[in-house]
Each structure stands twice: as C-alpha cells, then as structure tokens.
Amino acid sequence: MTRYADPGAVEWVESGGGPLIVVPEVVLSSWSGADGDESETDYDRACGVDGYAGLVAVGQSLALVLGDDPASTSFLPERGLFVRWCAAESEEELLGSVDAALAEAAWEPQQLWDVPGPVVLFDSAWPGDELEPENHLRVDLEPGRYSVRATYVEPNPETWLSLVQLRRLP
C-alpha cells in the first residue's frame, strides 16, 4: 500500500497480479488466498469472477471481488466508492476525474451484498490471517445490505479508472 503525504490523499492497495478482494473482518481468517490443499483455492475462486465486481462465499458471509484488472485501489468513504487506478499521470488527476467518471458511467447490473460490519481490502492471493500493515486497507462499513455496482470509465484520453460503488439499502 502506498501512503501519500499530501493532505487529503488516499491510501492505495496494490495487487501482485490477481484480483483484489474485500472480505468482512469477522470472516477474515476463513480466506486462505492461494494457499490450500484443495484443487481450487480461494484465490482461484476470486480469479473466476467475471466482470468488474462479484461475490464469493467466505465462511458464513460473502466477500466482494474487484475483478478484471489488478489496478491499485482505494476507498472514498464519503462516496462509498472503490476507485481503481487503471491509468492517470497523477493521483490528483485520477481523483479529480471521479465526478466526470460518475457522470458518464455505464454500470454493470447491481448485486446485493449483506455486510456484517467493517471489511478489509487486500490482494486475494494473501491468506486473510497473514495480512501485514502495509498490504491492506480496513474500511469501516456499517452492518447492513448494500447495493454494489461497478463500471469502467475513461473520462479523458489519459485517465482511465474502474469504480465500484456501495450504497447502503434501508
């Protein structure tokens, strides 16, 4: 994860090449990543997700896989939005294009995700109980049902990003 010193900057989570995953904190130790004796590991299941976002079972819950591209990812809590850095000259340029990206987004069909509380964003190859301070991001979500929708947008020729939006349902 890269940390930026500029005021208002966000923390980014990197991938070693596979999808990132958002696992509820209460079932984090149930995610085995690329480890395991099974013919299909948790990481394999995450890699099998089609589209920009999908859900996979983890323990007694579901985790959100951020698929398609192993882009650096952060979370903007004020917007309920995972922002995925596909191409941009700078963090400022990327984050400055979020409004334009939201305005022109063509969203994939929404999914419903029951969240038991805080979640953790990390590389899906890592086992959930072996995370280190620099390779994950904890996101404080309130328990409840969320609508999840995802898109890929090129708001200008030099800036490309994927967005995964969470909206808490009543």
Side-chain angles (χ1 to χ4, degrees), residues 23-24 26-32 42 45 56-63:
V23 177
V26 297
V27 294
L28 199 54
S29 64
S30 297
W31 184 260
S32 63
D42 285 344
R45 293 187 309 116
V56 295
V58 180
Q60 299 297 313
S61 193
L62 293 174

Side-chain angles (χ1 to χ4, degrees), residues 7-94:
V10 298
E11 297 178 11
W12 297 94
V13 173
E14 304 284 331
S15 166
L20 294 173
I21 192 161
V22 185
V23 177
E25 200 170 54
V26 297
V27 294
L28 199 54
S29 64
S30 297
W31 184 260
S32 63
D35 293 348
D37 297 329
E38 308 94 37
S39 59
E40 182 181 60
T41 65
D42 285 344
Y43 175 75
D44 293 329
R45 293 187 309 116
C47 289
V49 168
D50 289 327
Y52 299 115
L55 300 169
V56 295
V58 180
Q60 299 297 313
S61 193
L62 293 174
L64 177 64
V65 177
L66 305 181
D68 187 56
D69 189 334
S72 297
T73 301
S74 191
F75 187 72
L76 305 179
E78 67 281 359
R79 296 179 177 253
L81 192 66
F82 287 100
V83 177
R84 313 203 63 215
W85 187 334
C86 301
E89 289 294 321
S90 68
E91 179 185 51
E92 181 180 9
E93 180 181 304
L94 182 84

